[in-house]
Amino acid sequence: MIVLKNVSKIYGKSPQVVALHNVTMEVKKGEFLAVMGPSGSGKSTLLYIIGGLLTPTKGEVLINGVSIYKLNSRERAKLRQEKIGFIFQTFELIPYLTALENVMVPLCFSKIPNSKHEEKAIKALNLVGLTNRASHKPSELSGGEQQRVSIARAIVNDPSILLADEPTGNLDQKTGAEIMHLIKRLNEEKGITVILVTHDPSKARFADKVAVLIDGQIMKIERLRNMGGKSLRDKSGNRKQLLECA
Amino acid sequence: MRVIDIARKNLSRRKWRLIFNLVGISISVAILVSTSVISHVMRAKVEEEIDKLGANIVVTPKYEVVSVSYGSIIVGESTIQENLIEKIYTIPNSANIAIVSPKLYGLAPYGNGSLLIVGILPENERMLKGWWRINGFLPESNRDQALVGSAVASSLGLSLGVALVVNGMQLTVTGILNETGSIDDFSVFIPLDVAQRMLNKPGVVSVIDVAALCKNCPVELIAQQIMDAIPEVKATPIKQAIHMRMEVTSRLSNLSLLLASTLLIVSCVFIMNTMLASIYERMREIGIFMSMGADDANIRRIFMLESLILGGIGGFLGVGLGLILSLFINPIIMNISITVEDVLYNAEWLSVIPLSIAISLLVCFIASLYPAWKASTVDPVEALRGGM
């Protein structure tokens, strides 16, 4: 479903900074991929390129067989609108809008009629368990609640792909785990393809596959058999080693 | 939720900025509105006062032989048959004719010199010259009475009731004109029929002054219609007085328009500046919108709508403020008395309201073009990372 072919991203002219180098990989429909790597390894760059926000210097990104950087910017925006949801480390909610309004924002840019916006937003808030906080501004919500709102916002358009950039980076361990369970649930129950960028092995364990990115290159992609944090600790040393190296 | 709701909510987030922007726009619009209202009302007032300004059409014989200077008008020895006067009332725009005042001019011997005799229809002339201040009374038709100009009265030592013998005819001075600063001060006004006898010009007049109310019709048209009705005469429209008044009004309104446009440009730059500043502040927000599927047109729309909301509210506030200004403050500053009735009865200015709001919207739209374009070209990834 998502295919990257020899994707490279180079910043600047002199000196050149190679953020990604010849990345080739494939993420199947409904799969949960964790991208791990130290900071500066190009994880976020990779996520933005997949999300159609950052044009690669070289290579091709195909979503459902469509080479997205051959589309013009409006067509790419439409693709994001319909197929992609973003979650960020710092939640990125609009401060002057309530939780419900924040969830409705992506609908403003879509063709979905205005009369259906609220209904869809409430449904999304319900999925993340936050209907009771709908009328609160982000400043009145806890970190975990804010991230739930941002997840509701990411899924309100019923996207098939969820791109999460360190979604638990600003949360404590317990809240972070709750958020991961929520993302996992969306992946399993709604069949949303998830690409998660993280440097935390305990969060990567929720994924089906883990890709390790170092200096802009994919070092390894490995499938994890059994998902869900704790169970993974009992798995083979090889898999542990993979997570630790990230 | 719609894009306009995002724009609206963002505006209401920064109340002071909103207020400053609104003050700028509404003051500019207010000046624009009050200027237009005042110039409309003043124009209407000037038009109403035309009859008070005296004749605006002078009818003279077509062919002049010898000219006698009478003020700015040259009157010849040729005359117009008195019976032609009636024809003036047959023109298509006769309803616009307020006063017809025929006159006969002539020099009559008096002592060693001569006096300028003006035969008039006393009541008509009085109406025509609203500024006349008379000591005593107007002469009556067919009576040997005279109204004398102030210069004549003082040089000849005339007072009310005394007899004045001109060309062998004895006239009683019934009235003395206060000084007018015109040729009237040197004239002796007597009833037209008496003048015709004295000057031996029965049944003729030298000139016919016509006052036409021409709020809705050009005075040139009336003059032409008179010439069509009476081929023997020449009708000349006098526009100086009215033009002077009109010119003062339009210069005044041009000055205020200049001021209003300057203010509008200043508020335009101010809005553009605040919007550009807010783009830098709202970088991440723009990045978030883009990541959620907003395209360049959506981003532009958010910023343009914010500006248009400002323009709309500012326009409405400005119209209200402008009406208050034109009623209460401008009359004091510009020394023009404008009453509520003046404003209400001259409803032509009503078109100013939609026009001012449209101008306000247009200015704000123009002010938003560059910032909106700038916002739509933001790199979403850079924006999300917090830079530009």
Side-chain angles (χ1 to χ4, degrees), chain A residues 74 80 92 96 101 117, chain B residues 1 9 284-285 290 296:
Chain A
R74 288 209 179 161
R80 280 197 297 278
E92 307 296 0
Y96 53 88
E101 287 164 345
H117 289 187
Chain B
M1 199 164 74
K9 283 172 191 278
R284 291 185 82 85
E285 198 180 307
M290 285 176 165
D296 51 343

Side-chain angles (χ1 to χ4, degrees), chain B residues 287-309:
Chain B
I288 299 162
F289 288 150
M290 285 176 165
S291 73
M292 287 188 287
D295 59 20
D296 51 343
N298 292 131
I299 300 293
R300 276 199 296 271
R301 200 170 301 143
I302 294 174
F303 283 85
M304 284 177 171
L305 281 171
E306 280 182 21
S307 195
L308 285 174
I309 292 172

Side-chain angles (χ1 to χ4, degrees), chain B residues 45-252:
Chain B
K45 279 194 145 186
V46 167
E47 283 164 1
E48 275 167 21
E49 279 176 7
I50 282 168
D51 57 329
K52 293 179 201 156
L53 291 171
N56 50 3
I57 298 170
V58 174
V59 180
T60 52
K62 202 163 197 172
Y63 306 103
E64 297 287 355
V65 185
V66 184
S67 299
V68 172
S69 170
Y70 181 73
S72 57
I73 299 150
I74 309 294
V75 177
E77 282 298 296
S78 313
T79 50
I80 305 165
Q81 289 299 314
E82 207 176 348
N83 54 17
L84 296 176
I85 297 170
E86 290 303 311
K87 289 195 182 175
I88 291 176
Y89 292 105
T90 64
I91 64 163
N93 277 80
S94 59
N96 295 93
I97 291 175
I99 307 160
V100 175
S101 181
K103 289 184 194 71
L104 177 66
Y105 297 109
L107 290 170
Y110 178 82
N112 293 331
S114 56
L115 280 178
L116 177 61
I117 300 294
V118 186
I120 54 169
L121 296 178
E123 287 303 330
N124 295 22
E125 190 70 5
R126 178 77 189 79
M127 280 203 291
L128 192 69
K129 293 179 174 169
W131 58 88
W132 269 8
R133 294 290 169 269
I134 302 167
N135 260 329
F137 307 97
L138 277 175
E140 286 172 30
S141 287
N142 219 2
R143 301 277 296 271
D144 294 349
Q145 294 175 337
L147 169 72
V148 296
S150 60
V152 175
S154 60
S155 66
L156 302 181
L158 300 174
S159 56
L160 290 179
V162 304
L164 175 68
V165 182
V166 188
N167 210 11
M169 282 178 75
Q170 187 176 315
L171 304 167
T172 311
V173 177
T174 57
I176 297 172
L177 268 182
N178 280 3
E179 195 172 342
T180 61
S182 71
I183 191 78
D184 291 354
D185 294 347
F186 302 94
S187 311
V188 175
F189 296 91
I190 58 174
L192 182 62
D193 38 17
V194 180
Q196 286 168 339
R197 264 191 286 130
M198 181 191 284
L199 301 168
N200 198 22
K201 287 181 177 172
V204 294
V205 296
S206 318
V207 66
I208 307 163
D209 281 339
V210 177
L213 295 168
C214 52
K215 194 168 174 177
N216 301 312
C217 66
V219 69
E220 289 87 349
L221 179 72
I222 298 184
Q224 188 56 51
Q225 289 174 356
I226 292 173
M227 286 194 280
D228 293 342
I230 318 170
E232 297 89 341
V233 301
K234 190 172 135 207
T236 315
I238 311 172
K239 295 186 290 184
Q240 284 159 315
I242 294 153
H243 267 203
M244 286 278 276
R245 293 287 299 267
M246 291 289 197
E247 206 164 298
V248 171
T249 315
S250 71
R251 272 190 196 169
L252 205 65

Side-chain angles (χ1 to χ4, degrees), chain A residues 98-188:
Chain A
T98 63
L100 182 69
E101 287 164 345
N102 261 292
V103 178
M104 286 195 276
V105 167
L107 302 171
C108 293
F109 309 126
S110 71
K111 292 264 186 297
I112 296 166
N114 198 30
S115 55
K116 297 221 171 123
H117 289 187
E118 197 165 323
E119 181 197 322
K120 280 184 85 78
I122 288 173
K123 209 173 131 196
L125 273 178
N126 193 31
L127 252 166
V128 300
L130 262 188
T131 15
N132 58 332
R133 309 289 272 166
S135 58
H136 288 71
K137 294 260 172 78
S139 57
E140 298 157 354
L141 301 172
S142 71
E145 286 172 328
Q146 287 189 53
Q147 194 58 296
R148 281 168 189 271
V149 173
S150 103
I151 293 171
R153 180 179 68 181
I155 59 166
V156 73
N157 268 342
D158 301 316
S160 48
I161 302 164
L162 191 61
L163 303 176
D165 190 2
E166 306 263 13
T168 58
N170 271 21
L171 302 172
D172 59 55
Q173 205 59 32
K174 183 173 166 278
T175 318
E178 282 169 17
I179 293 295
M180 283 316 300
H181 279 289
L182 176 59
I183 293 173
K184 183 69 195 164
R185 187 156 64 84
L186 291 169
N187 166 246
E188 285 177 343

